[in-house]
Amino acid sequence: VFAQLSDRGIHLSLLSFGYKYGIPYDADFILDCRFIPNPHWVPELQPLSGQDGAVAKMVLDNPATKDFIKNFLHLFNGTKDGFLQEGKRYLTIAIGCTGGQHRSVAITEELSKILSNKFSSVTAIHRDIK
């Protein structure tokens, strides 16, 4: 599925957020990752963020996360040409977890790495990271 993605003039913004602070209404995709085990409940991970290696490892090594990312990329690949045909060149993909510090940040960073290999314009923003 990754090989099918290609830069066709789409500028991507990946936005992590916390549901407890409200959803970003201007997003084209809103992904909910609250079903993934929460690093917040691991005392040594609680003060960290998804940008820290231990948190990212916990989140990204989970088989459900791997499926989540794979399935989203499949969905995105199936819709990107339609967005282009409609003249939409800027897309925002919002990834949410409860507080916007752990799971959504780790997944946003991972998607940013994956999509940066296929698109020339990818920006990661962490709205609610502390």
Side-chain angles (χ1 to χ4, degrees):
V1 112
F2 301 143
Q4 296 170 353
L5 299 171
S6 65
D7 186 344
R8 302 251 332 257
I10 295 177
H11 304 276
L12 298 174
S13 293
L14 303 172
L15 172 70
S16 70
F17 72 95
Y19 275 91
K20 69 182 186 179
Y21 303 112
I23 64 170
Y25 291 104
D26 56 347
D28 300 291
F29 291 94
I30 296 179
L31 307 177
D32 186 344
C33 62
R34 291 177 289 181
F35 67 93
I36 297 165
N38 192 347
H40 173 81
W41 301 115
V42 179
E44 61 270 15
L45 300 180
Q46 188 175 30
L48 304 176
S49 81
Q51 292 177 316
D52 293 296
V55 173
K57 181 171 177 35
M58 179 183 168
V59 172
L60 298 174
D61 283 354
N62 187 300
T65 305
K66 294 175 191 278
D67 286 342
F68 180 72
I69 289 171
K70 182 181 96 175
N71 290 333
F72 170 70
L73 291 171
H74 181 76
L75 171 69
F76 181 70
N77 189 55
T79 61
K80 67 178 173 47
D81 289 339
F83 281 116
L84 285 166
Q85 289 170 2
E86 292 299 314
K88 188 135 174 74
R89 300 288 184 257
Y90 294 88
L91 294 175
T92 299
I93 302 165
I95 301 101
C97 63
T98 304
Q101 181 177 341
H102 297 107
R103 297 166 289 181
S104 63
V105 171
I107 292 171
T108 295
E109 290 290 323
E110 183 67 11
L111 282 174
S112 179
K113 287 178 200 170
I114 292 167
L115 293 170
S116 289
N117 289 325
K118 302 294 177 187
F119 294 85
S120 59
S121 180
V122 178
T123 304
I125 304 158
H126 303 295
R127 188 188 79 179
D128 299 323
I129 197 170
K130 294 180 170 78

